[in-house]
């Protein structure tokens, strides 16, 4: 009986590692202001530069617990990498990233996995960007 339980546990763990590998995904995406172009982003006190208001076209890659957005945009500050470990088991939640200028930003996810919409906000800006899978 104990051997059967041990084997069932071992098989279950092997299956779980396979499931986590299945969460890896890649897709083309575009990030843009949620409510269109704005230099104040709905009353924010920090004005935005062209690196924030321009759309960011690129590639999202999820490998394990790491999400990378590699921008193909000519404007700087669009690429980023974040650790997804803080997400809930259903894929929802908020993660914190640090950009190349040492500023905190946040990505927010609804439940799900793979190619999907996520949102980005900065600590000191009222702007909110939406990253949408590109068909």
């Amino acid at each position: 009986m104990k051997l059967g339980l041990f084997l069932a546990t071992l098989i279950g763990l092997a299956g779980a590692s396979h499931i986590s590998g299945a969460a890896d995904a890649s897709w083309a995406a575009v990030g843009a202001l949620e409510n269109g172009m704005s230099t104040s982003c709905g009353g924010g006190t920090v004005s935005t530069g062209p690196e924030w208001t321009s759309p960011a076209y690129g590639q999202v890659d999820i490998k394990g617990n790491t999400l990378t957005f590699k921008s193909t945009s000519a404007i700087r500050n669009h690429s980023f990498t974040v650790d997804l470990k803080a997400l809930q088991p259903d894929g929802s939640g908020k993660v914190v990233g640090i950009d190349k200028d040492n500023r905190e930003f946040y990505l927010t996810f609804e439940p799900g996995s793979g190619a999907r919409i996520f949102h980005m906000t900065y600590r000191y800006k009222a702007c909110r960007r939406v990253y949408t899978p590109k068909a």
Side-chain angles (χ1 to χ4, degrees):
M1 180 71 170
K2 289 182 181 182
L3 179 60
L5 182 58
F6 172 75
L7 288 174
T9 302
L10 189 60
I11 291 168
L13 290 174
S17 68
H18 174 71
I19 291 169
S20 67
D24 291 355
S26 294
W27 67 91
V30 62
L33 285 178
E34 186 172 54
N35 295 316
M37 302 284 276
S38 171
T39 57
S40 64
C41 293
T45 58
V46 179
S47 65
T48 60
E51 73 275 4
W52 185 261
T53 57
S54 298
Y57 296 93
Q59 181 75 23
V60 174
D61 290 307
I62 297 177
K63 302 270 190 262
N65 288 323
T66 303
L67 179 145
T68 301
F69 178 76
K70 173 102 170 123
S71 177
T72 57
S73 172
I75 299 173
R76 63 183 192 91
N77 291 343
H78 280 305
S79 297
F80 54 85
T81 299
V82 296
D83 186 336
L84 299 176
K85 288 179 189 168
L87 292 181
Q88 301 298 316
D90 68 359
S92 68
K94 186 178 195 178
V95 297
V96 179
I98 303 290
D99 71 9
K100 69 180 193 99
D101 295 324
N102 204 32
R103 297 176 296 191
E104 243 180 39
F105 66 90
Y106 312 98
L107 298 185
T108 306
F109 296 84
E110 295 297 322
S113 64
R116 59 195 170 125
I117 293 173
F118 60 90
H119 297 90
M120 172 194 260
T121 55
Y122 266 85
R123 183 175 179 181
Y124 295 115
K125 290 188 180 184
C127 303
R128 182 171 154 145
R129 291 180 70 88
V130 178
Y131 287 80
T132 307
K134 194 171 176 219

